Amino acid sequence: MAKKATGMTSSITRRWLRGGLLITMVLVILAEALFLYSTYEDLYGGVQQAILSRFSTIEGQLRATGSAGEASEVSASRSQALRRTVEQFDEKDKFEFMLLDPSGAVLTTASGTFSQELMAGTDVYEAMTGASGSGISTFRTSGGERVMAITVLVPYAADGITAMRLVTSLTLVDRQMMQFTLISVGIAAVVLGVALWSGLFFIRSIVLPLGRVEALATRIAAGDLTVRLPDNRYNDEIGRLCATINQMAGALAETERMKNDFISSVSHELRTPLTSIKGWVETITARGGGDPEIARRGMAIISAETDRLYAMVEDLLDFSRLQNGVKLDCQVLDLVAEATDAALFVEPRMQKENLRLIYEEPPEPYPVWADPARLRQVFVNILDNAIKYSRPGGSVTLLLSRTASTVTAAVRDEGKGIAPEDLDKVRLKFFKGKNAVRGSGIGLAVVDEIVTALGGTLDIQSTLGEGTTVSVTLPVYHAGQEHLHDPLELPGQPAPGSTPNS
Ligand code: ADP
C-alpha cells in the first residue's frame, strides 16, 4: 500500500516537475540570458562608444586644422596637431593614446612610455588592411589585465601618421559585469527556489492526503467496511472525496448487513415448513393409512406449508431479479382487469384473516403498457403487505382512478402504519421496518423497481397506528408509447425474450 502511495506521489510530483517547474525554469533561464546579454552590450558597447567619441572629436579638430594652404604644409601641421593632442591628452589615467606609422609601429603615446604588451590584439592589423579603416579587439595583456583597443586610420594626410589607437582597461567594466551576473543569477536562483518550494508544498498538500485516502480506500475495496476516512481534516475537495467514500462504505456495509439478514432469515424460515412437512409425512406414513382424519389434516398442513415455501422461493427469485435487474415483457393491458384479478386472488385469504376488501371496479378500461406477470407481482406484493399489517376486522381498499395521462391503483389499509423514520427506507431492498412481522424486506423494493421500469411512480403514505396507503401511478397507454419507455433497455439488463407484442 505504502509502495502504491509512493508511486502516485512520485507520478503526480513528476508530472508537475515536468510540466510546471520545467517551464518556469526555461523562462527564468531565458530572462537571465536576455538580461546578461543586454547588460554586456550596454557595458562593453559603452566603452567602445567612449573611445569612438574621442576619435571623432580629434577628427573634427584635424579637419579644422590647415584647411587652407599647400598640401604638404597642411599635412605637416596636422601631424603636429595630432602629436600635440596626444601629448596634451587629459584622460591618460583612463586611456592610452597612440599614433601609429604606416607599418603599425608606435610613433608616440600619451603616457610617453611604450609598452609592447599593449600591442597585442588584432585591431591595428584590421584597421590597416580592412576596408572600413578601423579595427577593434579585446585581449589580455601579459600582466593579466583585460583591455579593449580600437585603431582608426587618420582620415586626412598627416605627415607619416597613419593611424590613431586608444587602449583602455576593462577591469572596472569586467568587475561590473561580474557583479551584475552574480546578482542576477542570485535572483534567478531565489525565484526558482521559491517556485520549487511553493510547488512542492502545494503538491505535498495534495499528494500526502491522497496517499492516505488511497491506502484506506484500498482497505475498503478489500472488504474492510468498518474503516472510515478522516473527512473533517480537509475542508476542500479531498475532504469531500473522503466524505463520499465514507458514504459509499456506509451504504455498502448497510447493504451487506441487510443481505446477510435476508439470507439468514430466509434460510431460517425455510427450515420451519420443511420440518413440519417432514414430520407430517412421517406421521401419515406411519399412521395415516389407517386414519383418514390424520391423513386429511396432515395433507392440509403440508399444502399450507408448501404455500409458505412457494412464497419464500418467490422471494428468493425476486431477490435474484433485483440483483440482475427487472426483465419486462410488455404489452397493452387493462389495469382494471389486472386489479380485478388481483382482488379475486387475495379475497379468500382476506376472508380467512377476517379482513374486508373494498373494491369498486371502474366501468371503463384503463389501458397501460406493462408486463402482466410483473404487474401482478406489484399488486400481490402491495396487497400482501396490506393484509400482513392489518388488524383483524379491518378493511383494505383497492381504489382505481385516472387522469388524462395517468392511471393510479392505491391500496389503503387500516393497519399498524409505518414509523415516520422508516417511511423513506421501506422501498430499499432488504429493509424491514420496526413493525415488520415476517418477510425478507424486498417486496416494496421489487415493486419500486418494476414501477420505475414501467415509467411510473410509487408513492407511500402512512400514519403510525392508523394505516398506510401505497399508490402506483402508471402512464396511460397511447399508440407509440412502446418506444417511449421501453423498460427493457435498462442499463445492464439484456432482455432477449422481451420484445413488446402489443
Ligand atoms: P417484505 O417483503 O418483508 O414485506 P417490504 O419491502 O414489502 O418487505 O416492506 C418493507 C417494510 O415496510 C416492512 O418490513 C414493513 O415494516 C413496512 N411496510 C410495508 N407495507 C406496509 C403496510 N402496508 N403497513 C405497514 N408497514 C408496511
Side-chain angles (χ1 to χ4, degrees):
M1 257 184 280
K3 216 172 162 196
K4 261 188 175 176
T6 320
M8 181 182 65
T9 306
S10 60
S11 95
I12 291 184
T13 312
R14 225 181 301 133
R15 273 211 302 276
W16 170 73
L17 282 174
R18 232 183 282 143
L21 194 63
L22 201 72
I23 291 173
T24 315
M25 225 155 111
V26 168
L27 287 179
V28 167
I29 290 173
L30 261 175
E32 171 79 16
L34 222 75
F35 170 76
L36 287 180
Y37 175 75
S38 72
T39 310
Y40 181 90
E41 288 286 297
D42 268 8
L43 287 177
Y44 294 90
V47 176
Q48 200 175 329
Q49 279 308 314
I51 295 176
L52 291 176
S53 79
R54 267 126 196 115
F55 281 142
S56 62
T57 314
I58 295 164
E59 279 170 13
Q61 287 167 357
L62 274 185
R63 202 183 313 126
T65 310
S67 47
E70 281 287 317
S72 59
E73 277 172 36
V74 171
S75 170
S77 67
R78 277 194 190 128
S79 167
Q80 269 172 15
L82 262 176
R83 282 172 194 276
R84 212 175 311 118
T85 307
V86 170
E87 278 156 22
Q88 292 167 5
F89 191 60
D90 56 1
E91 290 178 293
K92 290 179 186 140
D93 52 335
K94 291 189 202 149
F95 302 97
E96 173 64 310
F97 192 0
M98 312 171 176
L99 296 176
L100 307 176
D101 72 4
S103 68
V106 177
L107 293 171
T108 179
T109 66
S111 62
T113 59
F114 169 70
S115 99
Q116 183 60 41
E117 62 173 6
L118 289 186
M119 293 315 288
T122 56
D123 53 302
V124 177
Y125 178 76
E126 262 174 47
M128 297 282 186
T129 56
S132 64
S134 68
I136 177 166
S137 67
T138 53
F139 54 92
R140 201 172 281 282
T141 64
S142 50
E145 189 181 14
R146 248 165 55 83
V147 294
M148 180 187 281
I150 299 181
T151 303
V152 296
L153 298 183
V154 180
Y156 313 100
D159 206 10
I161 300 173
T162 306
M164 307 180 276
R165 186 172 189 244
L166 272 172
V167 183
T168 187
S169 167
L170 289 177
T171 308
L172 221 67
V173 179
D174 279 348
R175 197 178 302 151
Q176 256 180 321
M177 186 67 209
M178 180 56 81
Q179 271 170 3
F180 277 125
T181 309
L182 284 179
I183 290 171
S184 63
V185 167
I187 290 174
V190 168
V191 167
L192 279 180
V194 169
L196 183 73
W197 177 79
S198 68
L200 280 180
F201 181 78
F202 175 66
I203 293 281
R204 282 170 69 85
S205 76
I206 295 174
V207 166
L208 288 186
L210 262 189
R212 265 178 238 132
V213 170
E214 195 208 16
L216 288 177
T218 310
R219 280 175 61 190
I220 295 176
D224 184 356
L225 298 175
T226 53
V227 288
R228 289 293 177 270
L229 297 164
D231 57 357
N232 49 3
R233 195 182 301 165
Y234 316 103
N235 186 22
D236 52 16
E237 285 83 350
I238 292 181
R240 291 198 285 280
L241 175 69
C242 290
T244 311
I245 292 179
N246 282 347
Q247 243 174 31
M248 191 187 71
L252 278 176
E254 182 65 7
T255 310
E256 190 67 19
R257 188 189 63 72
M258 292 199 290
K259 196 165 105 183
N260 291 342
D261 279 3
F262 169 76
I263 291 169
S264 79
S265 82
V266 165
S267 10
H268 194 78
E269 284 187 34
L270 277 175
R271 187 186 282 163
T272 321
L274 281 176
T275 316
S276 166
I277 290 171
K278 190 172 185 319
W280 274 103
V281 169
E282 281 167 2
T283 309
I284 293 169
T285 316
R287 297 170 34 208
D291 188 342
E293 179 52 21
I294 286 185
R296 195 193 57 75
R297 268 182 57 202
M299 286 317 231
I301 288 172
I302 288 172
S303 166
E305 296 295 11
T306 316
D307 283 350
R308 265 176 80 184
L309 278 177
Y310 184 79
M312 272 178 243
V313 171
E314 277 297 311
D315 266 5
L316 281 172
L317 283 176
D318 278 351
F319 170 73
S320 86
R321 275 185 207 120
L322 267 182
Q323 298 294 77
N324 304 322
V326 186
K327 297 186 177 78
L328 298 169
D329 187 1
C330 292
Q331 53 187 269
V332 185
L333 292 176
D334 176 15
L335 188 78
V336 176
E338 298 300 319
T340 308
D341 278 358
L344 289 173
F345 178 74
V346 293
E347 210 168 13
R349 187 176 147 207
M350 290 184 68
Q351 275 172 0
K352 218 159 70 187
E353 305 216 5
N354 194 18
L355 293 171
R356 199 158 59 92
L357 177 67
I358 304 171
Y359 172 57
E360 205 169 301
E361 188 176 333
E364 80 279 9
Y366 290 179
V368 288
W369 177 250
D371 177 332
R374 300 280 83 87
L375 198 59
R376 163 69 64 94
Q377 198 177 2
V378 168
F379 277 120
V380 167
N381 284 5
I382 297 176
L383 285 166
D384 181 60
N385 278 345
I387 297 169
K388 255 191 326 199
Y389 295 102
S390 282
R391 299 187 195 88
S395 62
V396 173
T397 310
L398 172 56
L399 188 70
L400 299 187
S401 58
R402 70 172 287 178
T403 67
S405 57
T406 59
V407 295
T408 300
V411 174
R412 191 173 69 226
D413 65 57
E414 297 167 346
K416 293 178 173 177
I418 303 170
E421 64 272 22
D422 285 351
L423 203 54
D424 283 344
K425 300 184 205 143
V426 288
R427 64 180 78 199
L428 298 178
K429 55 183 167 187
F430 311 126
F431 181 84
K432 287 160 79 172
K434 291 188 192 65
N435 59 356
V437 281
R438 63 187 153 75
S440 43
I442 57 172
L444 285 177
V446 170
V447 168
D448 192 37
E449 190 121 334
I450 295 173
V451 171
T452 309
L454 289 173
T457 51
L458 173 70
D459 180 55
I460 304 166
Q461 285 179 352
S462 185
T463 310
L464 200 57
E466 285 183 20
T468 305
T469 304
V470 179
S471 315
V472 169
T473 302
L474 295 176
V476 169
Y477 171 77
H478 53 83
Q481 187 185 3
E482 295 87 336
H483 312 289
L484 266 182
H485 71 276
D486 194 344
L488 315 168
E489 288 169 13
L490 286 177
Q493 297 176 29
S498 50
T499 320
N501 45 5
S502 48

